[in-house]
Amino acid sequence: MPYLGSEDVVKELKKALCNPHIQADRLRYRSVIQRVIRHMTQGVDMSGVFMEMVKASATVDIVQKKLVYLYMCTYAPLKPDLALLAINTLCKDCSDPNPMVRGLALRSMCSLRMPGVQEYIQQPILNGLRDKASYVRRVAVLGCAKMHNLHGDSEVDGALVNELYSLLRDQDPIVVVNCLRSLEEILKQEGGVVINKPIAHHLLNRMSKLDQWGQAEVLNFLLRYQPRSEEELFDILNLLDSFLKSSSPGVVMGATKLFLILARKFPHVQTDVLMQVKGPLLAACSSESRELCFAALCHVRQILRSLPGHFSGHYKKFFCSYSEPHYIKLQKVEVLCELVNDENVQQVLEELRGYCTDVSADFAQAAVFAIGGIARTYTDQCVQILTELLGLRQEHITTAVVQTFRDLVWLCPQCTEAVCQALPGCEENIQDSEGKQALIWLLGVHGKRIPNAPYVLEDFIENVKSETFPAVKMELLTAVQRLFLSRPAECQDMLGRLLHYCIEEEKDMAVRDRGLFYYRLLLAGINEVKQILCSPKSDPSLRLLEDQAERPVNSWALDFNTLVPVYGKARWATISKCQGVEHHGPELPNTTAFPTSGPLIPEENKERVQELPDSGALMLIPNHQLTAECFEKTWLSLKVAHQQAFPWQGAVHPDNLQMALQVVNIQTIAMSRAGTKPWKAYLSAQDDTGRLFLTELLLEPANVQMQISVKQSEAGTETLKSFISVLETVIGTLGDIKS
Amino acid sequence: MIHSLFLINCSGDIFLEKHWKSVVSQSVCDYFFEAQEKAADVENVPPVISTPHHYLISIYRDKLFFVSVIQTEVPPLFVIEFLHRVADTFQDYFGECSEAAIKDNVVIVYELLEEMLDNGFPLATESNILKELIKPPTILRSVVNSITGSSNVGDTLPTGQLSNIPWRRAGVKYTNNEAYFDVVEEIDAIIDKSGSTVFAEIQGVIDACIKLSGMPDLSLSFMNPRLLDDVSFHPCIRFKRWESERVLSFIPPDGNFRLISYRVSSQNLVAIPVYVKHSISFKENSSCGRFDITIGPKQNMGKTIEGITVTVHMPKVVLNMNLTPTQGSYTFDPVTKVLTWDVGKITPQKLPSLKGLVNLQSGAPKPEENPSLNIQFKIQQLAISGLKVNRLDMYGEKYKPFKGVKYITKAGKFQVRT
């Protein structure tokens, strides 16, 4: 790598490029240029020979031209003044008789990425749009988008947009698709290219002429079109039928999504389509390309959420083979978990049992957890398998099994007896924090039925000094306290020792406080302790229902064939949000300037909020009332207009928040109780024109951000912005007080 | 759509980058390296990685990572497919898709990337159209070029761009008119300890090599089209004809292309051509174990099974293996613990076997699970599903083409558990 001596290289090449003998010899000249390009791709700064390279572009040799263009596009932003010299040559090439040269020159010119180039490229692009060679038209159409980006997204050239719309009727299919792509970028601010009935039908008719990429993208654009009548809808669906059988998975998925969206009012059509793509999806799941497999598996999981039995007949397709990469195996195990029914449960469990001894500890644990998931329905069989797994005496397996047991006992209390019998002996094979916590919890709650429970806990207490995880100590305190209530004689002594250690010697504050708390609780009397520690538990069925309820297809149809099934909605929202801030940062009012301490809504702040309606266009009406049902209906029918995350520290105090929102005339429809995880709230407000603002607040447990999603009954960017700034003020104030 | 592309080798060097929109700094790949580190094995790097401002969608092909940078919401399958197409094109042009080949032909690589994608959108990806824009390098041509000084770029535009059928160029001419079809079937199977089939499926494709003049209109019919469960078609095939008559009717692209791919998954139709007798045992508290496998033909329809290779990932505690094969040769890599036995073909009179001793690390507990055997094999002149081409007719042109069909069956992911 000539990184170090790069100056010499530049000098040498410069000399060679200037040498008239070399210039006269086409081959030698080209090979010198190739050397320049090679150095450039290796990251050597070759901008020093810019002048010489520009000269080299005046040639009839098309390869040499290409190479020089490539060079110019790379270094033009670094040497804008010199690059302007190159533009002359490029302009001349744009009217070359050879269409290939015209196309290349135009493309390079549009890719120069330097300020001030717009004025030079406008005319060549306009000429290119009317060129007789489709190759040039393709380049010119995309060039329009590049030119627009150079302008800094400011104004939209109406004439150009019209020209592009008319080029949608071009003969060449790629020109058509490029027009869509280009318009989409130019009209980004206005919501992208508009697909009306004539355009939609024109595109549908051209579909079969497009290449696979074009088909996939047009299918995506067609999502915007809403057929007028049922008849038209079914005509469109008929036209699209054959794309469900395309050899390109991308097109199949695109077509499926379009079907799902267009037929959103016809659930039987949706089910039918999902039946039809079962084959292609399964084929993609066993495709040679592991990345395709992975993406397809993510979509299979999504479909299963609505149609649980959908792939049950093909459960064997989801058996893992040894050589597959990790991420595929993990997805397959998840899918298997959801496919289980009375007929295949035996085979699936046997298969999963096999995975539990996999070399990779992560995968083995995933398999154990999967068995735990199935155990919610097929408890006895699963508990038996899990118990057998304990016999392997492997650390990573035992800890996973014990954690599954803890969850199971809570969800399916009927298996408590079996679990209690399996537990003795486990403690020898558990080293990690999660496993220890689970075991200690089980011993505490069900210690009555485990004969050696006190002795196991005693061992933990003996070694408490060397215990590194505070969470384990906390769990231990609670467990010993609980066990003390059911087996006082065996536990009294060690409880005393543990409390003594926690209060006198422990350095972790939380553990110490917990110790003190239990100590004081004991002082209050044994009955009080019982009342607090053994009061009825929360209803376990609640979480379970929430998790497993079937989701209607429409709830995810919009996310189908996007990155959401791969990464989850919340994650994607955060990322797009970050980009939003990057691009439109200055537009949102900056609220960090508000005072951050003192009373809940400081006086000056209140005034600020009240003032807002006068300055902006937004006036939220007081005493606006919306019933929960009404809210739900509206919420489901609307699209999210804005998503954003605000910094938030610590827990939420719902009462304070509600009060603060009341002040700015935002009504609280529903709110989780304090401490619930994840914490959610639904808010509603109405402005003086009758426009509704519906908002969801979401605080994920591990997050330090409050995620908000706002929906509007009528679109309006200005009012939305003002509404969000109001919301941001409230949340910003409260969030900062906590920190 | 696709902002930038980085090519990264296994040791983590970014050896090529291409930006279609603004330049994205190389540092974005740090997120990729982070994920690679976490995944331990290069095979396990997840294909989609999110970073604070971008998504990275990557594919892993021939020991290279193709990492694309995405900034807007995109259909993931679309991008993955496109990246594979890029890798396929390199393979097609340079004979292999390796770091060395790409570095040697870096200029052509840039030319290709420039034509395949413009402003982040896929443009020309069909191999026959690309080859007219940019001629592939061959040893002969590079010699000729250096003598005559002619370039490896077509001076004219691909004529195909003007024909009414997007996948076929106009005015094709051949002196020998030929149409060849390869029916290739791969068996994916998992066989359990006792030799019964846990899962079996055939993935089939028909690849065509068509060198016909003019605008031929072909129809291909099968003896038993109902066998095909689930078929995907090249865009040239008339779907309605298939639905009503089960005939493949199409105007073919010029050159090589994949006509259809299909699956046969009902288990009773999937014949398993080989069986494996195995006994692998590790003794408790001893530093050795026994290893003995024998391979024999099963439902092979009277054809020879050849090109057999057995690969076994032995457990970590295995130090070395002392084996004797009755035919072929074996290697054991003590670092990766992979045993490879290159068997060759099966002669039914004397079944190939491999037996001997396994040395274990002393003192280590014996492995809980026996390793799985991965088997590769090939059977010529047989489509294991029983699929047969009935006839090929040509309309629209007068000449008589030369026609040929070849069948081959291969092992896909064929795994025997022990």
Side-chain angles (χ1 to χ4, degrees), chain A residues 692-709:
Chain A
L692 281 173
F693 295 93
L694 308 183
T695 313
E696 183 197 54
L697 305 181
L698 173 64
L699 190 65
E700 291 283 1
N703 237 343
V704 288
Q705 283 183 327
M706 174 82 82
Q707 188 78 39
I708 67 155
S709 329

Side-chain angles (χ1 to χ4, degrees), chain A residues 134-301:
Chain A
S134 56
Y135 184 80
V136 184
R137 288 202 302 276
R138 292 174 187 175
V139 173
V141 166
L142 283 182
C144 295
K146 291 181 192 166
M147 183 166 68
H148 178 74
N149 287 342
L150 282 173
H151 267 301
D153 301 334
S154 53
E155 75 268 39
V156 175
D157 181 353
L160 192 68
V161 169
N162 282 342
E163 179 106 24
L164 286 176
Y165 268 116
S166 67
L167 271 174
L168 282 174
R169 306 268 168 196
D170 196 275
Q171 273 215 327
D172 183 76
I174 296 188
V175 172
V176 176
V177 183
N178 279 357
C179 274
L180 288 173
R181 293 161 169 167
S182 199
L183 280 169
E184 178 73 9
E185 256 178 53
I186 295 174
L187 300 174
K188 197 161 55 189
Q189 301 277 329
E190 297 162 29
V193 53
V194 179
I195 307 285
N196 58 18
K197 188 168 173 178
I199 295 182
H201 284 233
H202 170 69
L203 290 176
L204 281 166
N205 290 327
R206 294 301 296 273
M207 273 293 273
S208 57
K209 297 266 190 287
L210 303 177
D211 60 356
Q212 65 180 97
W213 320 110
Q215 286 177 349
E217 280 185 67
V218 169
L219 286 168
N220 213 355
F221 282 118
L222 283 173
L223 289 172
R224 297 197 191 146
Y225 179 61
Q226 187 63 52
R228 306 280 161 75
S229 65
E230 217 166 282
E231 203 180 333
E232 190 191 352
L233 169 74
F234 283 100
D235 280 348
I236 294 179
L237 295 189
N238 274 333
L239 267 174
L240 292 174
D241 217 24
S242 60
F243 297 103
L244 291 174
K245 290 277 169 199
S246 165
S247 59
S248 148
V251 175
V252 175
M253 300 296 264
T256 312
K257 182 173 182 179
L258 186 55
F259 263 82
L260 292 179
I261 299 284
L262 285 181
R264 63 169 87 75
K265 292 192 187 113
F266 305 93
H268 64 280
V269 178
Q270 289 183 325
T271 322
D272 198 53
V273 170
L274 291 176
M275 280 312 273
Q276 277 200 55
V277 294
K278 207 164 160 180
L281 256 183
L282 285 172
C285 286
S286 50
S287 144
E288 246 176 276
S289 147
R290 43 176 114 219
E291 297 84 12
L292 274 184
C293 284
F294 173 74
L297 282 167
C298 292
H299 282 92
V300 165
R301 280 181 63 191

Side-chain angles (χ1 to χ4, degrees), chain A residues 98 113 135 138 146 185 209 212-213 248 250 279 286 289 291 316-317 326 351 394 563 572 579, chain B residues 21 44 53 55 60 71 73 81 84-85 115 118 125 155 161 166 198 201 203 230 368 417:
Chain A
N98 184 345
R113 291 197 276 261
Y135 184 80
R138 292 174 187 175
K146 291 181 192 166
E185 256 178 53
K209 297 266 190 287
Q212 65 180 97
W213 320 110
S248 148
S286 50
S289 147
E291 297 84 12
K316 285 188 175 170
K317 283 228 74 150
H326 233 84
E351 186 70 19
Q394 292 277 325
L563 285 165
W572 177 251
Q579 278 166 23
Chain B
K21 295 187 143 186
N44 292 337
H53 300 297
Y55 267 103
Y60 179 65
Q71 226 167 17
E73 178 64 89
E81 248 187 300
H84 275 290
R85 182 62 68 85
E115 289 295 341
D118 190 5
T125 55
D155 284 339
Q161 318 237 337
V198 178
E201 186 178 74
Q203 309 269 1
D230 167 38
E368 311 117 34
R417 295 178 177 170

Side-chain angles (χ1 to χ4, degrees), chain B residues 79-368:
Chain B
V79 179
I80 292 171
E81 248 187 300
F82 179 79
L83 292 177
H84 275 290
R85 182 62 68 85
V86 172
D88 287 341
T89 310
F90 290 167
Q91 175 102 34
D92 190 27
Y93 264 73
F94 313 131
E96 54 168 356
C97 177
S98 65
E99 188 183 349
I102 291 174
K103 277 185 170 164
D104 285 348
N105 297 294
V106 72
V107 174
I108 295 188
V109 166
Y110 269 100
E111 285 180 57
L112 282 173
L113 290 176
E114 188 80 0
E115 289 295 341
M116 290 182 83
L117 218 57
D118 190 5
N119 206 21
F121 299 110
L123 221 50
T125 55
E126 285 293 326
S127 142
N128 59 10
I129 291 181
L130 273 176
K131 280 193 178 154
E132 280 187 70
L133 287 167
I134 302 153
K135 294 207 181 96
T138 59
I139 297 171
L140 182 67
R141 186 169 296 117
S142 57
V143 173
V144 173
N145 280 359
S146 58
I147 295 166
T148 61
S150 70
S151 67
N152 56 344
V153 170
D155 284 339
T156 50
L157 273 180
T159 38
Q161 318 237 337
L162 295 171
S163 100
N164 286 328
I165 295 163
W167 55 83
R168 189 175 177 88
R169 60 198 171 102
V172 185
K173 268 209 186 84
Y174 287 101
T175 39
N176 298 321
N177 287 296
E178 305 162 313
Y180 297 109
F181 295 91
D182 285 333
V183 181
V184 184
E185 297 195 337
E186 289 196 356
I187 308 177
D188 289 350
I190 300 178
I191 313 289
D192 76 358
K193 278 191 186 83
S194 56
S196 53
T197 310
V198 178
F199 158 76
E201 186 178 74
I202 297 171
Q203 309 269 1
V205 295
I206 300 185
D207 284 336
C209 173
I210 309 276
K211 295 182 173 171
L212 298 175
S213 315
M215 273 289 164
D217 193 336
L218 303 178
S219 44
L220 184 74
S221 63
F222 299 101
M223 305 278 262
N224 36 12
R226 311 253 157 227
L227 264 179
L228 307 177
D229 256 353
D230 167 38
V231 196
S232 343
F233 303 102
H234 189 275
C236 69
I237 290 170
R238 298 183 181 102
F239 183 60
K240 297 280 181 241
R241 271 293 294 282
W242 170 259
E243 271 195 323
S244 56
E245 298 166 53
R246 298 269 148 183
V247 167
L248 296 177
S249 153
F250 55 99
I251 294 176
D254 184 43
N256 294 312
F257 65 99
R258 177 154 296 173
L259 186 62
I260 63 168
S261 54
Y262 59 91
R263 264 174 349 116
V264 179
S265 62
S266 38
Q267 286 215 350
N268 40 7
L269 283 175
V270 181
I272 303 291
V274 292
Y275 73 87
V276 180
K277 269 202 319 207
H278 50 80
S279 97
I280 301 173
S281 58
F282 305 105
K283 269 183 242 144
E284 191 77 68
N285 300 327
S286 130
S287 60
C288 73
R290 298 202 59 80
F291 184 93
D292 180 355
I293 55 177
T294 307
I295 301 184
K298 217 168 150 187
Q299 302 151 288
N300 58 343
M301 326 274 176
K303 306 272 192 217
T304 322
I305 304 168
E306 43 183 39
I308 303 173
T309 323
V310 181
T311 323
V312 192
H313 286 259
M314 299 302 288
K316 284 207 185 77
V317 290
V318 173
L319 283 184
N320 217 333
M321 304 182 79
N322 279 319
L323 308 171
T324 347
T326 57
Q327 83 178 61
S329 60
Y330 84 95
T331 52
F332 177 72
D333 182 344
V335 181
T336 55
K337 315 285 182 201
V338 176
L339 167 73
T340 316
W341 177 27
D342 196 350
V343 186
K345 63 179 169 195
I346 299 183
T347 35
Q349 291 76 28
K350 191 166 173 290
L351 296 179
S353 70
L354 177 70
K355 53 177 106 178
L357 291 179
V358 183
N359 295 327
L360 302 178
Q361 205 175 316
S362 54
K366 86 176 185 130
E368 311 117 34

Side-chain angles (χ1 to χ4, degrees), chain A residues 626-689:
Chain A
L626 196 67
T627 61
E629 288 88 346
C630 200
F631 177 88
E632 194 180 9
K633 227 194 286 166
T634 333
W635 177 262
L636 290 177
S637 67
L638 291 176
K639 273 195 215 155
V640 175
H642 185 87
Q643 256 182 343
Q644 197 169 347
F646 295 129
W648 186 277
Q649 300 275 330
V652 185
H653 294 268
D655 294 344
N656 295 352
L657 186 61
Q658 192 167 357
M659 240 162 58
L661 288 167
Q662 198 81 54
V663 173
V664 292
N665 296 332
I666 298 177
Q667 183 200 354
T668 313
I669 302 285
M671 211 178 243
S672 318
R673 257 177 293 165
T676 326
K677 281 172 187 173
W679 184 89
K680 272 187 182 181
Y682 289 92
L683 315 173
S684 130
Q686 193 169 23
D687 71 0
D688 48 353
T689 60

Side-chain angles (χ1 to χ4, degrees), chain A residues 441-462:
Chain A
W441 185 87
L442 279 166
L443 290 173
V445 176
H446 298 287
K448 245 188 302 189
R449 313 187 204 186
I450 306 169
N452 70 341
Y455 308 104
V456 177
L457 288 179
E458 191 164 15
D459 279 344
F460 276 111
I461 293 175
E462 303 268 281

